[in-house]
Amino acid sequence: MKRQRLAAAAFAAMLALAACGRDSGGEDTDTTAPVSEGKATGDITVWAMGTEGEKLAAFAQDFMTENPDAKVNVTAVPWDAAHQKIASAIAAKQTPDVSMVGTTWMGEFAATGALDPTPASVVDKAAFFSGAWDTTVVNGTSYGVPWYVETRLLYYRKDLAAKAGVTAPASWDEMTSFATAMRDKGGAKWGLNLQPGGTGSWQSFLPFAWSNGATLASGKDFTLDSPQMTEALAYYQSFFTNKLSPPTDLSLQGALEQSFINGTLAAFISGPWHVGLLNQQGGAGFKDKFAVAPMPRKQSATSFVGGSDLAVFKDAKNRDGAWKFVSWLSRPDVQVKWYKAVGDLPAVQRGWEDQSLSGDPILATFGEQLKDAKSPPAIPTWEQVAAVIDGEIEKVAKSGADPATATKAMQDRASGIGTGS
Amino acid sequence: MRRALAGWAFATPFTVLFLVFMAVPVVASLVMSVTDLRSTDLRTPFAVEFVGLSNYTRMVDDAQFRRAALNTAVFVVVGVPLTMVVGLAAASALNSGLVKLRALFRVGFYLPVVTSIVALAVIWRFLLDPEAGLVNSALRLVGVEGPNWLGDSRLALPSIIAMAVWRNFGFLMVIFLAGLQAIPADLYESSRLDGAGRWAQFRYITVPMLRPTLLFGGVVTSIGYLQLFEEPLVMTRGGPLDSTLSVSYHIYNQFGFGNYGYAAAVSYVLFAVIVGLAALQFRLLGSRD
């Protein structure tokens, strides 16, 4: 800790003394050095967040059994501190060999030049879900490997749907009538929960935009004010104006699960973690009362893909060992074992052939949806642009702002922020 | 000579720590505020450019900064006097002898001050919940359907002000109580002989005698309110529609986005405002003798 602070202070002092001038330009051209053959050796330091950080050390025992000369040291990092810790490590050139990196941070960290480009010999790009692989690609170069994935589906109450006489919606039109029937005939107060703005609501909205054929950026320009985007936002808004979706964020109050379990909320869109939460909170028998369905279709039925990537740093002390560890974690059999240990869904498509995943109807639906799922562009400024989108969604959902004005504002403010490249 | 050396020897550890952990970061962040340093420059700090005052002028065009500045101003202008008045009223009541169980009230009112603000904010979020919250449940008992306190962009900031006043007045109450008890009782006695009523006593004895205490309270409370951060972070995340976004929260966001140069510039503006306001208060309320 002390060393880090000293390093930060030294960095600040350096900055204070530097007569700043941008003459050096991009210091290194990203060429991929090959990774040595054979077993991994030496110490490999790994940073991981949340549950992954807690469980990875024990899991890595198998790797050490296969590579007796290698030793994996895992540091668990709290999610809240992770971004800052990685940024400080990059500034001080005191990075670990490998770190778990949130998918939306890839653009920012890759742009610092601190990440090692993925060597082609280490993993096969085609083995991964393409939406997940895209999160590692910055300006045409891949800087890491997807570790695990999640995507969003429609959760709905089967018993209320039966009462309302509807089945899972397959299209946008059906989604509206589905939510209306759930409310008017099914007895729910809210037909469908959509996030009415606030942090992270872009994840809830973008699937609708993508399904309608909208894109976020093309090259260095944003394309947020397209007619497709506006139409998707208007559709999103209709759930609030028709009082099908609650105007406040149920999840912020921690009320989403309870509302769904007690039947005031008939449906919501979320990721795989909710299966466990609902079974746990709903008590015995609740698992027969709900089901999941793919996103409703417009031009496509695209969902959002999230999860985490693994990246190796240029300042790694044991680069080859690091890539060998990443490569091992990407093996289909290891991915399945990791799923069984932690519950993280495999980013490698072949992992889904395992009976433990394909045999479960809910998980199989997630697996199917992953084939049609996208991620936002891996640009350094994404978090900032996302906050702009969140703010405009909030205006549309809460104060009835005009969707066309909102997408125009998204485009103007995002252009002001830039793509950072 | 030897004594001087000993002095230096004792002062060195502090001086080194002060320079390394206080002076250098402060100067560095000031320098940072006139550069375009971003998180993507972390590995190549020498490539960072000097951009003059453009980070400062950028604030003028930043609608979110303007909104944050306005919210913070409202928070200070409404919150500080309210906290002072409530604190003084509570202190006077406890001092007057009208209140029984004085110690109990003193502890009760002071408790929020020493409790973690995050815990309090979480609890207030539950209290103000539109469906299940205690506040609206109580209103429902008397047949009123309460509003969505934190979800309505017109009510969110007032709700946070109410919570902040509730949390902070206990601190002022304790300070004011000490000040009140330091006022000599014979002043009141002699004024009573001259026929002064309660209000006259308060106006001509209590307030002037309390002036230094009031000044201290005002400055400390203003600084605290200018740095409003945890309440919106926990209760509203700056929403809805930026209605509870404060300047500190804006700084936090900008650092999070990796706009280090701009965030440092906003920090310095906030710093300047705090210094300016404190100076103004000293001038207006400072000793006049």
Side-chain angles (χ1 to χ4, degrees):
Chain A
M1 183 65 208
K2 205 165 189 179
R3 246 179 73 195
Q4 245 186 29
R5 272 166 86 178
L6 262 173
F11 164 66
M14 209 164 66
L15 194 76
L17 297 173
C20 311
R22 201 185 292 271
D23 49 5
S24 56
E27 60 158 358
D28 26 36
T29 46
D30 274 341
T31 46
T32 328
V35 173
S36 63
E37 301 282 321
K39 290 189 183 303
T41 54
D43 281 10
I44 304 166
T45 53
V46 185
W47 286 0
M49 287 76 98
T51 322
E52 288 75 22
E54 287 164 29
K55 304 239 170 125
L56 185 60
F59 189 77
Q61 282 301 332
D62 289 356
F63 177 77
M64 290 188 264
T65 314
E66 282 179 39
N67 302 271
D69 295 331
K71 186 167 183 306
V72 177
N73 299 310
V74 179
T75 305
V77 181
W79 264 114
D80 291 349
H83 185 272
Q84 190 53 44
K85 192 169 159 77
I86 296 173
S88 311
I90 290 173
K93 305 205 175 184
Q94 296 285 337
T95 55
D97 297 318
V98 190
S99 180
M100 172 173 158
V101 177
T103 50
T104 54
W105 301 348
M106 287 300 288
E108 185 182 352
F109 290 140
T112 65
L115 303 185
D116 198 34
T118 317
S121 60
V122 169
V123 287
D124 174 20
K125 165 185 168 175
F128 298 89
F129 289 107
S130 65
W133 183 263
D134 288 345
T135 65
T136 71
V137 179
V138 182
N139 289 333
T141 309
S142 164
Y143 290 94
V145 167
W147 186 10
Y148 64 84
V149 289
E150 56 92 354
T151 189
R152 310 295 160 85
L153 293 179
L154 178 74
Y155 284 73
Y156 67 98
R157 285 283 296 262
K158 277 198 286 189
D159 51 342
L160 300 189
K163 200 170 146 200
V166 285
T167 51
S171 69
W172 278 21
D173 291 343
E174 282 179 42
M175 179 95 133
T176 306
S177 52
F178 171 84
T180 315
M182 284 295 222
R183 182 191 61 189
D184 298 345
K185 294 184 213 151
K189 186 175 177 194
W190 305 110
L192 169 70
N193 180 68
L194 294 172
Q195 217 183 321
T199 309
S201 53
W202 58 275
Q203 298 179 0
S204 160
F205 165 66
L206 284 184
F208 294 99
W210 284 322
S211 295
N212 202 30
T215 54
L216 304 181
S218 143
K220 289 189 174 189
D221 300 314
F222 287 100
T223 53
L224 297 168
D225 56 351
S226 64
Q228 292 89 337
M229 187 73 122
T230 306
E231 193 190 5
L233 195 56
Y235 175 66
Y236 197 84
Q237 183 183 37
S238 69
F239 287 91
F240 296 95
T241 39
N242 296 331
K243 305 237 181 297
L244 293 168
S245 292
T248 46
D249 195 344
L250 290 178
S251 54
L252 194 67
Q253 313 278 2
L256 182 71
E257 295 80 18
Q258 282 310 316
S259 307
F260 188 66
I261 289 163
N262 70 26
T264 42
L265 174 67
F268 64 93
I269 292 169
S270 186
W273 57 86
H274 256 115
V275 178
L277 278 177
L278 291 173
N279 287 337
Q280 192 190 339
Q281 295 186 21
F286 189 71
K287 76 178 198 310
D288 300 324
K289 288 191 181 164
F290 74 93
V292 294
M295 292 297 285
R297 172 173 292 275
K298 182 78 189 237
Q299 288 180 33
S300 65
T302 309
S303 189
F304 168 85
V305 59
S308 270
D309 298 338
L310 289 163
V312 173
F313 292 90
K314 280 216 182 92
D315 295 319
K317 292 190 187 68
N318 187 358
R319 172 182 172 272
D320 286 7
W323 278 119
K324 282 173 189 169
F325 183 56
V326 171
S327 165
W328 178 77
L329 284 172
S330 310
R331 262 172 31 194
D333 59 315
V334 177
Q335 289 244 308
V336 171
K337 256 181 104 177
W338 181 238
Y339 161 72
K340 287 176 181 161
V342 191
D344 283 347
L345 301 179
V348 175
Q349 303 204 38
R350 269 185 47 212
W352 288 81
E353 290 165 13
D354 190 87
Q355 183 57 28
S356 61
L357 289 134
S358 60
D360 180 324
I362 288 184
L363 283 180
T365 316
F366 277 104
E368 276 306 303
Q369 183 71 66
L370 276 165
K371 291 176 188 160
D372 189 1
K374 278 191 184 173
S375 56
I379 53 173
T381 52
W382 175 254
E383 299 271 349
Q384 214 170 334
V385 173
V388 168
I389 298 175
D390 286 346
E392 295 303 323
I393 291 173
E394 186 161 33
K395 284 183 199 160
V396 165
K398 284 191 176 160
S399 58
D402 172 38
T405 315
T407 51
K408 175 84 173 46
M410 283 180 198
Q411 175 70 10
D412 288 349
R413 290 187 55 200
S415 302
I417 292 163
T419 53
S421 51
Chain B
M1 186 61 197
R2 265 191 70 192
R3 281 183 59 183
L5 265 180
W8 281 110
F10 280 115
T12 304
F14 167 77
T15 315
V16 168
L17 287 175
F18 175 81
L19 284 177
V20 171
F21 292 113
M22 304 283 283
V24 170
V26 165
V27 172
S29 63
L30 188 61
V31 173
M32 212 192 265
S33 77
V34 290
T35 68
D36 66 349
L37 181 70
R38 294 185 37 79
S39 57
T40 47
D41 301 323
L42 282 175
R43 207 157 166 273
T44 50
F46 289 102
V48 172
E49 267 175 49
F50 176 76
V51 294
L53 294 178
S54 73
N55 281 330
Y56 290 88
T57 51
R58 180 173 157 192
M59 277 171 237
V60 182
D61 298 322
D62 180 353
Q64 261 192 319
F65 170 77
R66 292 200 306 260
R67 184 67 203 254
L70 178 72
N71 290 340
T72 309
V74 169
F75 193 69
V76 171
V77 168
V78 178
V80 173
L82 214 54
T83 316
M84 300 270 288
V85 167
V86 177
L88 188 57
S92 304
L94 288 186
N95 196 41
S96 68
L98 291 174
V99 179
K100 304 276 176 245
L101 299 171
R102 232 187 274 189
L104 186 74
F105 279 101
R106 208 155 46 192
V107 172
F109 289 152
Y110 195 66
L111 216 52
V113 181
V114 289
T115 309
S116 156
I117 189 160
V118 175
L120 296 178
V122 168
I123 290 167
W124 271 71
R125 208 175 68 198
F126 284 127
L127 289 177
L128 295 175
D129 185 288
E131 310 274 334
L134 201 62
V135 173
N136 280 5
S137 303
L139 285 175
R140 230 167 272 140
L141 281 183
V142 293
V144 179
E145 188 51 47
N148 186 353
W149 299 100
L150 295 173
D152 183 322
S153 57
R154 289 160 304 175
L155 290 174
L157 190 62
S159 301
I160 285 187
I161 291 177
M163 186 253 170
V165 169
W166 168 82
R167 172 182 146 82
N168 290 313
F169 87 89
F171 171 72
L172 289 181
M173 180 195 72
V174 169
I175 305 280
F176 290 159
L177 197 56
L180 287 173
Q181 284 169 353
I183 300 174
D186 46 1
L187 282 179
Y188 290 105
E189 215 169 2
S190 52
S191 72
R192 210 175 305 130
L193 292 176
D194 292 339
R198 275 192 175 279
W199 173 248
Q201 283 184 344
F202 180 78
R203 172 76 184 75
Y204 294 106
I205 299 174
T206 311
V207 173
M209 291 298 286
L210 271 184
R211 187 184 291 278
T213 318
L214 287 173
L215 170 66
F216 171 78
V219 171
V220 170
T221 315
S222 305
I223 293 174
Y225 278 35
L226 277 169
Q227 293 175 329
L228 169 73
F229 176 67
E230 292 94 337
E231 292 92 338
L233 177 76
V234 178
M235 290 164 73
T236 58
R237 298 208 184 160
L241 303 172
D242 288 344
S243 61
T244 56
L245 186 76
S246 68
V247 174
S248 291
Y249 202 160
H250 191 57
I251 294 169
Y252 170 80
N253 275 340
Q254 292 300 324
F255 268 115
F257 293 147
N259 297 327
Y260 298 150
Y262 182 58
V266 180
S267 313
Y268 269 88
V269 168
L270 182 61
F271 168 75
V273 170
I274 289 175
V275 170
L277 191 71
L280 189 71
Q281 283 169 324
F282 271 100
R283 174 152 305 180
L284 291 179
L285 289 165
S287 67
R288 287 183 187 166
D289 37 34

